[in-house]
Amino acid sequence: MTTEQLQKEITKFIEQTLFLLTKNVDINKFQKILQDNVSQKRESATSTVEFYDRLMLNMAYFVENKMAWETIVRDTYGKGQVPKISFLENELMAQQMRVRNNVAENKDAYTADFHKRYEELEVEDEDVIYDYAYASVDHALRVDFITLVTSKNATILTQGNIEETLKIIDGYIAYHSDQIVNKMTLS
């Protein structure tokens, strides 16, 4: 099998796996969880800027988690190894704690950057809420995807070009996240 054919097989596997993960997703359940989170952050904030900051800090957490997730994939699948599910769960938990601490330690720098963006982009509630919902769904799909393929011992992901494979995973996760969030009504 050529490299191109192999990458096509990997793409097909990723596409099918994410389709299976999302085909029966309960949009209302996701929407309720996200709306509850948004409402809680809005109610506990003393200003619109503080409300946006809280959502944006969650997004920073999701973005940093994505980078750490990619490192796990490169260090396991990228090196020809399907990790044990216990290793994966421990790594995901450890990474979440590191990321949470890092976001907390860099909160002031993050919020200063956010404030510039709010003004430059003339951000409104629906912009920040959509981005928060998208990042949240993206994060959930990423964790579910890696957990599922690891539990299924998906050796196909150990083959091919790992950077290309990560781009393909990102593309399909982005597509499905967008599809899910666009079916929600959040305020």
Side-chain angles (χ1 to χ4, degrees):
M1 184 178 301
T2 68
T3 304
E4 188 176 310
Q5 290 171 321
L6 177 60
Q7 208 63 50
K8 282 183 181 179
E9 287 298 310
I10 292 168
T11 299
K12 183 177 174 184
F13 173 79
I14 293 166
E15 179 182 20
Q16 290 172 343
T17 302
L18 281 161
F19 174 77
L20 288 174
L21 276 172
T22 59
K23 74 177 184 172
N24 294 322
V25 71
D26 185 343
I27 301 289
N28 293 328
K29 183 178 175 184
F30 253 126
Q31 181 173 309
K32 180 174 178 2
I33 292 167
L34 291 171
Q35 185 62 60
D36 288 350
N37 288 342
V38 167
S39 296
Q40 183 274 327
K41 287 173 186 355
R42 185 187 309 275
E43 290 165 11
S44 65
T46 58
S47 68
T48 301
V49 169
E50 185 180 352
F51 168 59
Y52 291 174
D53 287 351
R54 290 175 183 205
L55 292 176
M56 295 292 287
L57 284 168
N58 277 147
M59 284 186 270
Y61 166 80
F62 294 138
V63 168
E64 286 196 26
N65 250 305
K66 178 183 174 187
M67 292 185 295
W69 180 92
E70 288 174 348
T71 299
I72 291 172
V73 172
R74 281 185 189 99
D75 289 349
T76 56
Y77 288 95
K79 293 183 178 169
Q81 305 163 354
V82 176
K84 299 258 185 265
I85 197 74
S86 58
F87 170 83
L88 179 67
E89 289 171 345
N90 289 337
E91 283 300 301
L92 289 171
M93 186 65 69
Q95 118 189 348
Q96 289 176 1
M97 295 305 290
R98 283 190 299 272
V99 168
R100 189 170 282 122
N101 288 337
N102 189 48
V103 170
E105 287 172 9
N106 294 298
K107 179 182 175 182
D108 292 340
Y110 273 123
T111 55
D113 184 50
F114 299 156
H115 295 172
K116 281 189 240 173
R117 285 197 245 163
Y118 301 156
E119 292 172 21
E120 289 171 5
L121 301 175
E122 298 178 17
V123 172
E124 296 182 13
D125 283 13
E126 51 272 1
D127 302 321
V128 179
I129 292 169
Y130 173 86
D131 289 349
Y132 164 76
Y134 177 89
S136 182
V137 171
D138 180 269
H139 173 73
L141 284 178
R142 194 168 302 284
V143 171
D144 289 351
F145 176 82
I146 196 66
T147 302
L148 178 62
V149 298
T150 299
S151 70
K152 300 260 185 223
N153 197 30
T155 57
I156 192 168
L157 294 180
T158 65
Q159 304 166 28
N161 179 314
I162 194 62
E163 294 307 317
E164 184 66 24
T165 298
L166 283 168
K167 286 179 192 172
I168 293 164
I169 293 168
D170 280 348
Y172 279 103
I173 288 176
Y175 170 79
H176 287 285
S177 297
D178 192 56
Q179 294 297 305
I180 291 167
V181 173
N182 281 326
K183 293 177 184 169
M184 296 181 189
T185 304
L186 299 167
S187 58

